[in-house]
Amino acid sequence: MSGILAGLGALCQPMTLLALFGGVVVGLIVGSLPGLNDSITMAVLIPVTFGMEPGTAIGLLVGIYCASACGGSVPSILLKIPGTASATVTAYDGYPMSQKGKSGEALGYAISASTFGGLTSAFVLLFLSPFLARQALRFGPPEYFMLAVLGMSTVIGMAGNNIAKNVLAMAVGLVLSCVGMSPQTGLNRFTFGIVNLMDGISLVPMLIGLFGVTSILEVIETIKAKPAAKDFVENVKENYQKVKVVLPDKEMSKRLLPIWAQSSLIGNVIGIIPGAGMVMAIFMAYDQAQRRRPSLPFGTGVPEGIAAPEAANNAVVASSMVPLLSLGVPGNSTSALFLGALTIQGLRTGPTLFRDTPDMAYMIILGFILANIIMLPLSIAYCNVLATAVLRLKREILSGIVLILCVTGAFAVANSAFNICVMLFFGVVGYFFNKYKIPQSSLILASILGSMMESNWTQSMVYAGGSVSVFFTRPLSLILFVLSVICIGMPLINRFKAKKEKTPAA
């Protein structure tokens, strides 16, 4: 209770509240702009937070993360152009409803579902993170090594038919984590004589490149490729100006409540699992909604078809912070950006965050609750007043602004021009990863967990005299190992069974 009160005191600082409010507004705007999303915006803004107080910086990022998923539904419903990847499924029923002249109702379903899903995940973060952090205080090097193995095994287990590409991305990430001076031997690894690489690859410039520069390269590729989309935007502007958000009434809310609850549960579970992400959550939620209401014509403008993915993607937001705050393992690529922001502010994620700086730990958690509360009225006001003007912004101009911020941010990390080269390199890497549908999240997770695995493996071997039995004789380590095997084995077994069922009998 004392930690919650300390966090509430930190959150109620005027600058922190103002930053949180501004972050929600920025998140709604960038979410509704195709080509931008929370990851790109946060990667660009993290270096800007250098000179801010920790509460102000974190409040800004929390607001952006919470609101961007909701903002992505606006162009998805009105233009059938998802503002973010997490709003892809929303277009299935949102756009047909908009074509029927019910754009206001569709936006109301999306906003209400987003708020419900976001609040549930914020309360999951409030109650689950401190509990996991207390358990993590019992962890030693063997447990932390197995925790990193579990984080990577979930990526493989959730990869579906994309296992090979996920393994490739993780292998690249593990190699990147080895760059620099070895903490055990002092030897240089993969530095190629470059002094700047002796301390390893800086996380923030790498993330700025993977998200910011990659998005610019993709915009350059599509500037002349999709003129029809621009014409379409121009054609709907006149009608869109008449749209007013209509929230679901009591009867509709009662009808949608089971879908909100079911989809929020799916989103929270997926969010806690490292590497799973919003895209998996929205497709699972939409599929389960169809199974729950088989009589409804999904894809023709059904309210449940909007509510399910919007509740799920916003439920992923705060729940993805659970493993980061309590265990130090990012749940997805966006929470990995939070890791960089907290590191810049001198804060260390994991159980020590709650022990040493409980005011900041609970401020982050309470910030997610407050951000989702204020997101409801701000979303309505944004859709009614500002969204039309925002949709008129040209992506070419926005990309130029993003590029300037990327270069400035990468340089500001250590006042080093070398970080700009790192940023550009990973921008090209991210572009080709997206081109060949290789997941960036797997690369980021592996590059972060790689150093964690290496240091804890070495400490475990020193402690056990070189015997690997230490990982199987300690109860917590053994449990984590069993969970890792299950995460990898169960999806593979299910995939094998499904393939066997499809094979015609001899």
Side-chain angles (χ1 to χ4, degrees), residues 366-424:
L366 296 176
F368 275 99
I369 296 176
L370 181 58
N372 281 286
I373 292 174
I374 66 176
M375 183 178 72
L376 178 62
L378 287 179
S379 299
I380 296 173
Y382 170 74
C383 291
N384 289 341
V385 179
L386 294 177
T388 303
V390 170
L391 288 173
R392 288 196 181 106
L393 295 175
K394 292 185 178 181
R395 293 179 65 186
E396 296 90 328
I397 297 175
L398 288 172
S399 297
I401 297 172
V402 169
L403 179 59
I404 293 172
L405 292 174
C406 285
V407 174
T408 305
F411 179 80
V413 171
N415 291 330
S416 171
F418 179 76
N419 283 338
I420 299 177
C421 299
V422 173
M423 175 198 73
L424 294 174

Short mmCIF file of all heavy atoms in Angstrom, two decimals, residues 366-424:
data_model
loop_
_atom_site.label_atom_id
_atom_site.label_comp_id
_atom_site.label_asym_id
_atom_site.label_seq_id
_atom_site.Cartn_x
_atom_site.Cartn_y
_atom_site.Cartn_z
N LEU A 366 0.16 3.07 -12.17
CA LEU A 366 -0.98 3.96 -12.02
C LEU A 366 -1.13 4.88 -13.23
O LEU A 366 -2.24 5.29 -13.58
CB LEU A 366 -0.82 4.80 -10.75
CG LEU A 366 -0.83 4.00 -9.44
CD1 LEU A 366 -0.56 4.92 -8.25
CD2 LEU A 366 -2.17 3.28 -9.24
N GLY A 367 0.00 5.18 -13.89
CA GLY A 367 -0.05 5.98 -15.12
C GLY A 367 -0.84 5.28 -16.21
O GLY A 367 -1.59 5.92 -16.96
N PHE A 368 -0.68 3.96 -16.32
CA PHE A 368 -1.45 3.21 -17.31
C PHE A 368 -2.94 3.26 -16.99
O PHE A 368 -3.78 3.36 -17.91
CB PHE A 368 -0.98 1.75 -17.36
CG PHE A 368 0.20 1.54 -18.26
CD1 PHE A 368 1.48 1.46 -17.73
CD2 PHE A 368 0.05 1.42 -19.62
CE1 PHE A 368 2.59 1.26 -18.56
CE2 PHE A 368 1.14 1.22 -20.45
CZ PHE A 368 2.40 1.15 -19.92
N ILE A 369 -3.30 3.18 -15.72
CA ILE A 369 -4.72 3.26 -15.34
C ILE A 369 -5.29 4.63 -15.70
O ILE A 369 -6.35 4.73 -16.34
CB ILE A 369 -4.89 2.98 -13.83
CG1 ILE A 369 -4.46 1.54 -13.50
CG2 ILE A 369 -6.35 3.20 -13.41
CD1 ILE A 369 -4.50 1.21 -12.02
N LEU A 370 -4.59 5.69 -15.31
CA LEU A 370 -5.08 7.04 -15.58
C LEU A 370 -5.12 7.33 -17.08
O LEU A 370 -6.06 7.96 -17.58
CB LEU A 370 -4.19 8.06 -14.86
CG LEU A 370 -4.59 9.53 -15.03
CD1 LEU A 370 -6.01 9.76 -14.53
CD2 LEU A 370 -3.61 10.43 -14.29
N ALA A 371 -4.11 6.87 -17.81
CA ALA A 371 -4.07 7.12 -19.26
C ALA A 371 -5.28 6.49 -19.96
O ALA A 371 -5.86 7.10 -20.87
CB ALA A 371 -2.77 6.58 -19.85
N ASN A 372 -5.67 5.31 -19.54
CA ASN A 372 -6.83 4.66 -20.15
C ASN A 372 -8.13 5.35 -19.77
O ASN A 372 -9.09 5.35 -20.56
CB ASN A 372 -6.89 3.18 -19.75
CG ASN A 372 -5.92 2.32 -20.55
OD1 ASN A 372 -6.16 2.03 -21.71
ND2 ASN A 372 -4.83 1.92 -19.92
N ILE A 373 -8.18 5.94 -18.57
CA ILE A 373 -9.38 6.66 -18.16
C ILE A 373 -9.56 7.93 -18.98
O ILE A 373 -10.65 8.21 -19.50
CB ILE A 373 -9.33 6.98 -16.65
CG1 ILE A 373 -9.43 5.68 -15.84
CG2 ILE A 373 -10.45 7.93 -16.26
CD1 ILE A 373 -9.23 5.88 -14.34
N ILE A 374 -8.47 8.71 -19.11
CA ILE A 374 -8.60 9.97 -19.85
C ILE A 374 -8.63 9.75 -21.36
O ILE A 374 -9.00 10.64 -22.11
CB ILE A 374 -7.46 10.95 -19.48
CG1 ILE A 374 -6.10 10.40 -19.93
CG2 ILE A 374 -7.47 11.25 -18.00
CD1 ILE A 374 -4.94 11.36 -19.68
N MET A 375 -8.26 8.54 -21.79
CA MET A 375 -8.27 8.24 -23.22
C MET A 375 -9.70 8.26 -23.78
O MET A 375 -9.92 8.65 -24.94
CB MET A 375 -7.64 6.88 -23.49
CG MET A 375 -7.54 6.50 -24.96
SD MET A 375 -6.73 4.90 -25.19
CE MET A 375 -8.01 3.78 -24.59
N LEU A 376 -10.69 7.89 -22.97
CA LEU A 376 -12.07 7.84 -23.45
C LEU A 376 -12.58 9.21 -23.90
O LEU A 376 -12.96 9.37 -25.07
CB LEU A 376 -12.98 7.24 -22.37
CG LEU A 376 -14.47 7.17 -22.71
CD1 LEU A 376 -14.70 6.27 -23.92
CD2 LEU A 376 -15.27 6.65 -21.51
N PRO A 377 -12.58 10.24 -23.03
CA PRO A 377 -13.07 11.55 -23.51
C PRO A 377 -12.16 12.18 -24.57
O PRO A 377 -12.66 12.85 -25.50
CB PRO A 377 -13.10 12.41 -22.24
CG PRO A 377 -12.15 11.75 -21.29
CD PRO A 377 -12.23 10.29 -21.60
N LEU A 378 -10.85 11.96 -24.45
CA LEU A 378 -9.94 12.54 -25.44
C LEU A 378 -10.13 11.89 -26.81
O LEU A 378 -10.03 12.57 -27.85
CB LEU A 378 -8.49 12.39 -24.99
CG LEU A 378 -8.04 13.30 -23.84
CD1 LEU A 378 -6.59 13.02 -23.47
CD2 LEU A 378 -8.21 14.77 -24.21
N SER A 379 -10.41 10.60 -26.84
CA SER A 379 -10.65 9.91 -28.12
C SER A 379 -11.90 10.44 -28.80
O SER A 379 -11.93 10.64 -30.02
CB SER A 379 -10.77 8.40 -27.89
OG SER A 379 -9.61 7.86 -27.35
N ILE A 380 -12.94 10.65 -28.01
CA ILE A 380 -14.19 11.19 -28.57
C ILE A 380 -13.95 12.59 -29.13
O ILE A 380 -14.36 12.90 -30.27
CB ILE A 380 -15.28 11.21 -27.49
CG1 ILE A 380 -15.61 9.78 -27.03
CG2 ILE A 380 -16.54 11.90 -28.01
CD1 ILE A 380 -16.55 9.71 -25.85
N ALA A 381 -13.28 13.43 -28.34
CA ALA A 381 -13.00 14.79 -28.81
C ALA A 381 -12.11 14.79 -30.03
O ALA A 381 -12.33 15.56 -30.99
CB ALA A 381 -12.35 15.59 -27.68
N TYR A 382 -11.13 13.91 -30.05
CA TYR A 382 -10.21 13.84 -31.20
C TYR A 382 -10.95 13.44 -32.47
O TYR A 382 -10.77 14.05 -33.53
CB TYR A 382 -9.09 12.84 -30.89
CG TYR A 382 -8.23 12.51 -32.09
CD1 TYR A 382 -7.31 13.43 -32.57
CD2 TYR A 382 -8.36 11.29 -32.74
CE1 TYR A 382 -6.52 13.14 -33.67
CE2 TYR A 382 -7.58 10.99 -33.84
CZ TYR A 382 -6.65 11.91 -34.30
OH TYR A 382 -5.89 11.63 -35.40
N CYS A 383 -11.78 12.40 -32.38
CA CYS A 383 -12.51 11.94 -33.56
C CYS A 383 -13.49 12.99 -34.05
O CYS A 383 -13.70 13.14 -35.27
CB CYS A 383 -13.24 10.64 -33.25
SG CYS A 383 -12.16 9.22 -32.99
N ASN A 384 -14.11 13.72 -33.14
CA ASN A 384 -15.10 14.73 -33.53
C ASN A 384 -14.50 16.00 -34.09
O ASN A 384 -15.11 16.68 -34.90
CB ASN A 384 -15.98 15.08 -32.33
CG ASN A 384 -16.92 13.96 -31.94
OD1 ASN A 384 -17.19 13.06 -32.73
ND2 ASN A 384 -17.42 14.00 -30.72
N VAL A 385 -13.27 16.34 -33.65
CA VAL A 385 -12.72 17.66 -33.96
C VAL A 385 -11.46 17.60 -34.82
O VAL A 385 -11.35 18.29 -35.84
CB VAL A 385 -12.43 18.44 -32.66
CG1 VAL A 385 -11.84 19.81 -32.97
CG2 VAL A 385 -13.70 18.57 -31.83
N LEU A 386 -10.46 16.78 -34.40
CA LEU A 386 -9.13 16.89 -34.98
C LEU A 386 -8.79 15.86 -36.04
O LEU A 386 -7.89 16.09 -36.85
CB LEU A 386 -8.07 16.79 -33.87
CG LEU A 386 -8.05 17.93 -32.84
CD1 LEU A 386 -7.01 17.63 -31.78
CD2 LEU A 386 -7.74 19.25 -33.52
N ALA A 387 -9.47 14.74 -36.06
CA ALA A 387 -9.04 13.63 -36.92
C ALA A 387 -9.03 14.01 -38.39
O ALA A 387 -8.17 13.57 -39.15
CB ALA A 387 -9.92 12.41 -36.69
N THR A 388 -9.98 14.82 -38.84
CA THR A 388 -10.04 15.20 -40.25
C THR A 388 -8.78 15.94 -40.67
O THR A 388 -8.18 15.66 -41.71
CB THR A 388 -11.26 16.10 -40.51
OG1 THR A 388 -12.43 15.41 -40.11
CG2 THR A 388 -11.35 16.46 -41.98
N ALA A 389 -8.37 16.90 -39.82
CA ALA A 389 -7.16 17.66 -40.14
C ALA A 389 -5.93 16.78 -40.14
O ALA A 389 -5.03 16.92 -40.98
CB ALA A 389 -7.00 18.80 -39.13
N VAL A 390 -5.87 15.84 -39.20
CA VAL A 390 -4.71 14.95 -39.11
C VAL A 390 -4.62 14.06 -40.34
O VAL A 390 -3.54 13.82 -40.88
CB VAL A 390 -4.79 14.11 -37.82
CG1 VAL A 390 -3.73 13.02 -37.83
CG2 VAL A 390 -4.62 15.00 -36.60
N LEU A 391 -5.77 13.57 -40.82
CA LEU A 391 -5.76 12.69 -41.98
C LEU A 391 -5.33 13.40 -43.26
O LEU A 391 -5.00 12.77 -44.25
CB LEU A 391 -7.15 12.07 -42.18
CG LEU A 391 -7.55 11.01 -41.14
CD1 LEU A 391 -8.99 10.60 -41.34
CD2 LEU A 391 -6.64 9.80 -41.20
N ARG A 392 -5.35 14.74 -43.25
CA ARG A 392 -4.92 15.49 -44.42
C ARG A 392 -3.40 15.60 -44.50
O ARG A 392 -2.87 15.99 -45.54
CB ARG A 392 -5.52 16.90 -44.39
CG ARG A 392 -7.01 16.97 -44.65
CD ARG A 392 -7.41 18.40 -44.99
NE ARG A 392 -8.84 18.50 -45.22
CZ ARG A 392 -9.68 19.05 -44.35
NH1 ARG A 392 -9.23 19.53 -43.22
NH2 ARG A 392 -10.97 19.12 -44.63
N LEU A 393 -2.70 15.31 -43.42
CA LEU A 393 -1.24 15.45 -43.41
C LEU A 393 -0.62 14.49 -44.41
O LEU A 393 -0.99 13.33 -44.50
CB LEU A 393 -0.70 15.17 -42.01
CG LEU A 393 -1.12 16.17 -40.91
CD1 LEU A 393 -0.60 15.69 -39.56
CD2 LEU A 393 -0.61 17.56 -41.21
N LYS A 394 0.36 14.98 -45.15
CA LYS A 394 1.03 14.15 -46.14
C LYS A 394 2.12 13.32 -45.48
O LYS A 394 2.90 13.81 -44.67
CB LYS A 394 1.64 15.03 -47.24
CG LYS A 394 0.61 15.73 -48.11
CD LYS A 394 1.28 16.49 -49.24
CE LYS A 394 0.25 17.14 -50.15
NZ LYS A 394 0.89 17.87 -51.28
N ARG A 395 2.19 12.07 -45.88
CA ARG A 395 3.17 11.16 -45.29
C ARG A 395 4.59 11.57 -45.64
O ARG A 395 5.52 11.33 -44.87
CB ARG A 395 2.90 9.73 -45.76
CG ARG A 395 1.59 9.15 -45.25
CD ARG A 395 1.36 7.75 -45.78
NE ARG A 395 2.34 6.83 -45.28
CZ ARG A 395 2.44 5.55 -45.68
NH1 ARG A 395 1.61 5.08 -46.58
NH2 ARG A 395 3.36 4.77 -45.18
N GLU A 396 4.76 12.21 -46.82
CA GLU A 396 6.11 12.64 -47.21
C GLU A 396 6.67 13.68 -46.24
O GLU A 396 7.83 13.62 -45.83
CB GLU A 396 6.08 13.22 -48.63
CG GLU A 396 5.69 12.22 -49.70
CD GLU A 396 4.19 12.18 -49.94
OE1 GLU A 396 3.42 12.43 -48.97
OE2 GLU A 396 3.78 11.91 -51.08
N ILE A 397 5.81 14.63 -45.84
CA ILE A 397 6.26 15.66 -44.90
C ILE A 397 6.53 15.05 -43.53
O ILE A 397 7.52 15.36 -42.88
CB ILE A 397 5.18 16.77 -44.80
CG1 ILE A 397 5.01 17.45 -46.17
CG2 ILE A 397 5.55 17.79 -43.73
CD1 ILE A 397 3.90 18.48 -46.20
N LEU A 398 5.63 14.17 -43.11
CA LEU A 398 5.82 13.51 -41.81
C LEU A 398 7.11 12.71 -41.79
O LEU A 398 7.84 12.69 -40.79
CB LEU A 398 4.63 12.60 -41.52
CG LEU A 398 3.32 13.30 -41.17
CD1 LEU A 398 2.19 12.28 -41.11
CD2 LEU A 398 3.43 14.03 -39.84
N SER A 399 7.42 12.04 -42.89
CA SER A 399 8.64 11.23 -42.94
C SER A 399 9.88 12.10 -42.82
O SER A 399 10.86 11.71 -42.19
CB SER A 399 8.67 10.43 -44.25
OG SER A 399 7.59 9.53 -44.32
N GLY A 400 9.86 13.28 -43.44
CA GLY A 400 10.99 14.19 -43.30
C GLY A 400 11.20 14.63 -41.86
O GLY A 400 12.33 14.69 -41.37
N ILE A 401 10.08 14.92 -41.17
CA ILE A 401 10.18 15.31 -39.75
C ILE A 401 10.72 14.15 -38.92
O ILE A 401 11.58 14.32 -38.05
CB ILE A 401 8.81 15.75 -39.24
CG1 ILE A 401 8.35 17.01 -39.99
CG2 ILE A 401 8.85 16.03 -37.74
CD1 ILE A 401 6.92 17.42 -39.68
N VAL A 402 10.22 12.94 -39.21
CA VAL A 402 10.68 11.76 -38.46
C VAL A 402 12.17 11.53 -38.68
O VAL A 402 12.91 11.21 -37.74
CB VAL A 402 9.87 10.52 -38.89
CG1 VAL A 402 10.50 9.24 -38.34
CG2 VAL A 402 8.43 10.64 -38.42
N LEU A 403 12.65 11.72 -39.92
CA LEU A 403 14.06 11.52 -40.20
C LEU A 403 14.93 12.50 -39.41
O LEU A 403 15.96 12.11 -38.84
CB LEU A 403 14.33 11.68 -41.70
CG LEU A 403 15.78 11.51 -42.15
CD1 LEU A 403 16.29 10.12 -41.79
CD2 LEU A 403 15.92 11.77 -43.65
N ILE A 404 14.51 13.75 -39.34
CA ILE A 404 15.27 14.74 -38.57
C ILE A 404 15.33 14.35 -37.10
O ILE A 404 16.38 14.40 -36.46
CB ILE A 404 14.63 16.14 -38.74
CG1 ILE A 404 14.78 16.62 -40.18
CG2 ILE A 404 15.27 17.15 -37.78
CD1 ILE A 404 14.01 17.90 -40.48
N LEU A 405 14.18 13.92 -36.55
CA LEU A 405 14.14 13.51 -35.15
C LEU A 405 14.98 12.27 -34.91
O LEU A 405 15.61 12.12 -33.87
CB LEU A 405 12.69 13.28 -34.73
CG LEU A 405 11.80 14.52 -34.66
CD1 LEU A 405 10.36 14.13 -34.38
CD2 LEU A 405 12.30 15.48 -33.59
N CYS A 406 14.98 11.34 -35.87
CA CYS A 406 15.78 10.11 -35.74
C CYS A 406 17.27 10.44 -35.65
O CYS A 406 17.98 9.94 -34.77
CB CYS A 406 15.52 9.18 -36.92
SG CYS A 406 13.93 8.32 -36.88
N VAL A 407 17.75 11.26 -36.58
CA VAL A 407 19.17 11.61 -36.60
C VAL A 407 19.55 12.36 -35.33
O VAL A 407 20.57 12.06 -34.69
CB VAL A 407 19.49 12.47 -37.85
CG1 VAL A 407 20.92 12.98 -37.80
CG2 VAL A 407 19.26 11.65 -39.12
N THR A 408 18.72 13.32 -34.93
CA THR A 408 19.00 14.08 -33.72
C THR A 408 19.00 13.18 -32.49
O THR A 408 19.87 13.28 -31.62
CB THR A 408 17.95 15.20 -33.54
OG1 THR A 408 17.92 16.01 -34.71
CG2 THR A 408 18.28 16.06 -32.33
N GLY A 409 18.01 12.30 -32.42
CA GLY A 409 17.91 11.40 -31.27
C GLY A 409 19.05 10.43 -31.17
O GLY A 409 19.60 10.19 -30.10
N ALA A 410 19.45 9.83 -32.30
CA ALA A 410 20.56 8.88 -32.28
C ALA A 410 21.86 9.55 -31.87
O ALA A 410 22.65 9.00 -31.10
CB ALA A 410 20.70 8.23 -33.65
N PHE A 411 22.08 10.76 -32.36
CA PHE A 411 23.30 11.49 -32.00
C PHE A 411 23.30 11.87 -30.52
O PHE A 411 24.33 11.81 -29.84
CB PHE A 411 23.43 12.75 -32.85
CG PHE A 411 24.64 13.58 -32.52
CD1 PHE A 411 25.88 13.24 -33.01
CD2 PHE A 411 24.53 14.70 -31.70
CE1 PHE A 411 27.01 14.00 -32.71
CE2 PHE A 411 25.63 15.47 -31.39
CZ PHE A 411 26.88 15.11 -31.89
N ALA A 412 22.13 12.22 -29.99
CA ALA A 412 22.04 12.70 -28.62
C ALA A 412 22.28 11.62 -27.58
O ALA A 412 22.54 11.94 -26.41
CB ALA A 412 20.67 13.33 -28.38
N VAL A 413 22.20 10.35 -27.96
CA VAL A 413 22.38 9.27 -26.99
C VAL A 413 23.74 9.37 -26.30
O VAL A 413 23.86 9.21 -25.08
CB VAL A 413 22.23 7.89 -27.67
CG1 VAL A 413 22.62 6.77 -26.72
CG2 VAL A 413 20.79 7.70 -28.14
N ALA A 414 24.79 9.62 -27.08
CA ALA A 414 26.13 9.74 -26.48
C ALA A 414 26.93 10.85 -27.17
O ALA A 414 28.16 10.84 -27.10
CB ALA A 414 26.87 8.41 -26.58
N ASN A 415 26.21 11.78 -27.83
CA ASN A 415 26.88 12.83 -28.62
C ASN A 415 27.92 12.24 -29.56
O ASN A 415 29.04 12.74 -29.69
CB ASN A 415 27.54 13.86 -27.69
CG ASN A 415 26.52 14.70 -26.94
OD1 ASN A 415 25.43 14.93 -27.44
ND2 ASN A 415 26.86 15.12 -25.75
N SER A 416 27.51 11.15 -30.23
CA SER A 416 28.43 10.42 -31.09
C SER A 416 27.81 10.25 -32.48
O SER A 416 26.67 9.78 -32.62
CB SER A 416 28.73 9.04 -30.50
OG SER A 416 29.45 8.24 -31.41
N ALA A 417 28.59 10.64 -33.49
CA ALA A 417 28.13 10.45 -34.87
C ALA A 417 28.08 8.97 -35.24
O ALA A 417 27.37 8.59 -36.17
CB ALA A 417 29.05 11.20 -35.83
N PHE A 418 28.83 8.15 -34.50
CA PHE A 418 28.82 6.71 -34.79
C PHE A 418 27.43 6.12 -34.58
O PHE A 418 27.02 5.21 -35.30
CB PHE A 418 29.83 5.99 -33.90
CG PHE A 418 29.88 4.51 -34.12
CD1 PHE A 418 30.52 3.98 -35.23
CD2 PHE A 418 29.26 3.64 -33.23
CE1 PHE A 418 30.55 2.61 -35.44
CE2 PHE A 418 29.29 2.27 -33.43
CZ PHE A 418 29.94 1.75 -34.54
N ASN A 419 26.69 6.65 -33.61
CA ASN A 419 25.34 6.15 -33.36
C ASN A 419 24.41 6.42 -34.54
O ASN A 419 23.44 5.69 -34.74
CB ASN A 419 24.77 6.77 -32.09
CG ASN A 419 25.33 6.14 -30.84
OD1 ASN A 419 25.83 5.02 -30.87
ND2 ASN A 419 25.28 6.86 -29.73
N ILE A 420 24.69 7.47 -35.31
CA ILE A 420 23.91 7.72 -36.52
C ILE A 420 24.16 6.60 -37.54
O ILE A 420 23.23 6.14 -38.21
CB ILE A 420 24.26 9.09 -37.12
CG1 ILE A 420 23.94 10.20 -36.12
CG2 ILE A 420 23.52 9.32 -38.43
CD1 ILE A 420 24.32 11.59 -36.60
N CYS A 421 25.41 6.16 -37.63
CA CYS A 421 25.73 5.04 -38.52
C CYS A 421 25.03 3.76 -38.06
O CYS A 421 24.52 2.99 -38.88
CB CYS A 421 27.25 4.82 -38.56
SG CYS A 421 28.18 6.23 -39.18
N VAL A 422 25.00 3.54 -36.74
CA VAL A 422 24.28 2.38 -36.18
C VAL A 422 22.80 2.46 -36.55
O VAL A 422 22.19 1.47 -36.97
CB VAL A 422 24.46 2.32 -34.65
CG1 VAL A 422 23.57 1.22 -34.05
CG2 VAL A 422 25.92 2.07 -34.29
N MET A 423 22.23 3.64 -36.38
CA MET A 423 20.82 3.85 -36.71
C MET A 423 20.54 3.54 -38.18
O MET A 423 19.58 2.82 -38.51
CB MET A 423 20.45 5.30 -36.40
CG MET A 423 19.03 5.69 -36.79
SD MET A 423 18.83 7.47 -36.88
CE MET A 423 19.73 7.83 -38.42
N LEU A 424 21.37 4.05 -39.08
CA LEU A 424 21.16 3.83 -40.51
C LEU A 424 21.31 2.35 -40.87
O LEU A 424 20.55 1.80 -41.68
CB LEU A 424 22.14 4.68 -41.32
CG LEU A 424 21.94 6.20 -41.22
CD1 LEU A 424 23.07 6.92 -41.95
CD2 LEU A 424 20.59 6.61 -41.80
#
